[in-house]
Amino acid sequence: MNRPERFRPPSVDEILRSGEGALAIARHGRSETTQAVRQVLERMRQSETSHSASAETIARMALDVLEERGRPSQRPVINLTGTVLHTNLGRALLAEEAIEAVVTAMRAPTNLEYEIEAGQRGERDAHVRGLIRELTGAEDAVLVNNNASAVLLVLNTLARDREAIVSRGELIEIGGAFRMPDIMGRAGAILREVGTTNRTHLKDYAEAIGPETGLLLKVHTSNYVVQGFTAEVEPAELAKLARTHDLPFVDDLGSGTLIDLARWGLRHEKTVQDALKGGADLVTFSGDKLLGGPQAGIVAGRKDLIARLARNPLKRALRLDKLRLAALEATLRLYRDPDRLAERLPTLRLFTRKAAELRALAERLRPQVAAALGAGWEVETIDCASQIGSGALPLETLPSAGLAIAPAGKASGGAVEALAAAFRAVPVPVIGRIAQGALVLDLRCLEDEALFAAQLAALTPGGGDGLA
């Protein structure tokens, strides 16, 4: 019986001196390359088969290891899910003006907390506070790192160890089992529920007010809608009741928007301006949802209350860094020119794409996808319905178009799941959704047609019975 030839590899030094070894060193440094070479050699020694690999081959294997190890964990993807503001995919895309502002802030020191004219320490929120006042009509504003933080800061400042009165029908839960009652508890506020799940009246709030009341809170149920036999109290009525008892009235808008989306044919969503005109003392909202900017939480409203929030030690723990402040300032500036907003703000641009445009795109891409997949798959142009996402306008859908890919003929149950995985495995992962036995690629968020087409060359599909 012949035994496999014993593996006698080139020396580590010989591998490092090879052409591929020199390339690996140039890209990743000698120390990391040496470690990767030894890792490859050890793996080959432990293999039960015989080996006769050259120094170049081993160096190339080590370079592959290094390239995989050096790939960033957070990578660009192509969002074809049909959800524009997809929380798992980073929500709003930034406008070019915001991206340029971030790059500028990254490359040099900035006057983040420095007043250049006075030559003294400044306050970082000042960079966007004036814009928020201008665009919303608020007396003042304060910035934190997301809307949950904004609510946390408000409750901790105004209702710590006191009662925050809120309708039972507004005790929302958002993604990741994150619940409003939990945030209130962490803020040190005492939850005082009033009304029922589907009906709450002004008298419910009035009867709950007492010596321990800290504020009245209205939470916009942006990620669901209760229909049927329902009743809720209008913000103006709550504002009047709060003023009668000298209490702050806080309106948590969640997603928040600074402009009436009905202008572009979408359903009207209460704006920050609406909330302030409705009598809210403070309004909390997000920067990275309908606003179309970076992740941020914004509190706008009464100057005296904002001053109290700014003095809370929690504010420092929740503050924005210079990059997000730069992006937010640039995004807010775009709202000064509402006539061009849909062209310049990616979120609004994606919302307003026409179904006919998307269907034409689908027709152009369909033969390319069909050719890449082969005879085992059927590719069809379909009409579909996109959604806003991130808990905003939950019943609003956007007429869209895309591609539905299904196995030709009879196929195993895992074929479509395997195809979805193959699309995720290309260099720039393509993320679709599975519906009714097909992989659906909703094209609403696809603006770089060439980038998507380039990924098809790396797709490795098999027939309808699975993937190769």
Side-chain angles (χ1 to χ4, degrees), residues 83-113:
T83 300
V84 179
L85 296 174
H86 200 302
T87 297
N88 302 136
L89 303 182
R91 291 185 178 165
L93 302 179
L94 293 183
E96 287 302 317
E97 290 85 350
I99 294 169
E100 291 172 8
V102 170
V103 172
T104 299
M106 290 169 65
R107 283 185 169 149
T110 71
N111 61 324
L112 176 64
E113 291 186 357

Side-chain angles (χ1 to χ4, degrees), residues 17-54:
R17 284 188 282 105
S18 68
E20 292 289 339
L23 177 61
I25 291 171
R27 289 183 183 176
H28 300 280
R30 176 172 290 273
S31 178
E32 271 206 274
T33 301
T34 301
Q35 182 182 10
V37 167
R38 286 174 174 157
Q39 179 181 336
V40 170
L41 290 173
E42 183 60 28
R43 188 187 306 155
M44 295 176 77
R45 287 191 186 95
Q46 293 178 0
S47 173
E48 296 180 355
T49 59
S50 61
H51 303 278
S52 57
S54 67

